[in-house]
Amino acid sequence: DTGVSQDPRHKITKRGQNVTFRCDPISEHNRLYWYRQTLGQGPEFLTYFQNEAQLEKSRLLSDRFSAERPKGSFSTLEIQRTEQGDSAMYLCASGDRRQYFGPGTRLTVT
Amino acid sequence: AQSVTQLDSQVPVFEEAPVELRCNYSSSVSVYLFWYVQYPNQGLQLLLKYLSGSTLVKGINGFEAEFNKSQTSFHLRKPSVHISDTAEYFCAVRNQAGTALIFGKGTTLSVSS
């Protein structure tokens, strides 16, 4: 069990650019989740995968956001045409009755 | 809709003092409740969880929590805190579909000597 890993840990981008984050879950976990955490707030659910199927999306996930999990292994979260309001920590988690969280990717949009 | 309210945004305490971090939830269905800790620039680490059974749940690092259905509370306690317990603590409830966690806004525990 090597834990959930996320890459990159930090990303600074200019407004309007596209960014992509990667999450590698714990290998035997079928369920994978993405959350967003802004300063001073708790994490907010974005989306959920069961294997390769994206089964639930939050209304927070605007059409500029897209997530994939090809082959049910790693997942990517892409944000197109980034805005300053997208600045946040993006957390990935995997697991069933218990969710194991990765260290997060901190995005800063300038 | 389910929700979680953490009643204190900041809790300052002295080392070796007891502490209680308060959490109330709203849910119309069976609840699964969690406490997570987040150290600066790190992800979330599970302290303890309530899924069923005994209402007193013991977790890591000497923390425990009590599920109180009548008061819809799940307060976190530790009898004697250490400087190293300084962190952000989040209470969470699993959503009705069982697909996501709904978090409170967090409580900052600051332990000083």
Side-chain angles (χ1 to χ4, degrees):
Chain A
D1 178 359
T2 57
V4 178
S5 61
Q6 292 187 245
D7 184 68
R9 294 291 306 275
H10 303 274
K11 178 70 176 180
I12 300 174
T13 191
K14 292 185 178 179
R15 184 166 52 94
Q17 297 295 304
N18 299 343
V19 294
T20 300
F21 310 140
R22 176 181 170 122
C23 170
D24 286 273
I26 294 171
S27 58
E28 61 266 30
H29 287 170
N30 296 324
R31 294 188 175 194
L32 184 147
Y33 314 81
W34 284 98
Y35 292 83
R36 182 178 72 182
Q37 184 180 18
T38 53
L39 203 61
Q41 301 294 319
E44 296 172 291
F45 169 73
L46 290 178
T47 190
Y48 152 67
F49 288 85
Q50 173 83 30
N51 299 312
E52 68 274 10
Q54 188 175 18
L55 297 183
E56 188 170 340
K57 293 192 287 187
S58 159
R59 66 182 186 282
L60 293 176
L61 211 68
S62 75
D63 56 6
R64 295 185 298 106
F65 287 69
S66 63
E68 295 182 341
R69 193 182 182 196
K71 302 179 182 178
S73 56
F74 70 91
S75 176
T76 58
L77 178 67
E78 180 183 17
I79 309 174
Q80 296 182 329
R81 305 181 304 280
T82 52
E83 302 173 355
Q84 287 188 322
D86 297 330
S87 294
M89 175 80 87
Y90 290 85
L91 294 165
C92 176
S94 69
D96 296 322
R97 278 154 57 100
R98 168 189 168 173
Q99 293 185 21
Y100 296 79
F101 282 82
T105 294
R106 182 170 296 283
L107 172 67
T108 302
V109 181
T110 61
Chain B
Q2 291 162 295
S3 66
V4 172
T5 302
Q6 292 186 241
L7 298 162
D8 307 292
S9 59
Q10 296 189 358
V11 174
V13 294
F14 288 108
E15 194 174 19
E16 298 183 6
V19 71
E20 179 180 79
L21 306 184
R22 297 181 294 167
C23 172
N24 285 97
Y25 68 90
S26 69
S27 176
S28 58
V29 297
S30 298
V31 290
Y32 289 176
L33 292 158
F34 305 81
W35 274 100
Y36 283 85
V37 61
Q38 186 175 35
Y39 299 101
N41 299 314
Q42 294 188 26
L44 281 76
Q45 180 182 3
L46 181 68
L47 280 176
L48 48 79
K49 61 184 183 292
Y50 172 79
L51 303 180
S52 65
S54 173
T55 57
L56 183 62
V57 181
K58 294 191 183 295
I60 62 171
N61 301 342
F63 284 94
E64 64 179 32
E66 185 159 16
F67 170 62
N68 188 318
K69 187 174 181 179
S70 62
Q71 298 190 4
T72 61
S73 67
F74 190 55
H75 300 334
L76 181 70
R77 301 185 183 100
K78 186 169 182 178
S80 176
V81 294
H82 303 290
I83 297 285
S84 59
D85 291 322
T86 295
E88 190 81 11
Y89 291 79
F90 292 97
C91 181
V93 63
R94 203 170 80 167
N95 71 352
Q96 200 163 342
T99 54
L101 294 174
I102 299 167
F103 286 86
K105 292 187 176 182
T107 297
T108 302
L109 175 64
S110 300
V111 183
S112 56
S113 57

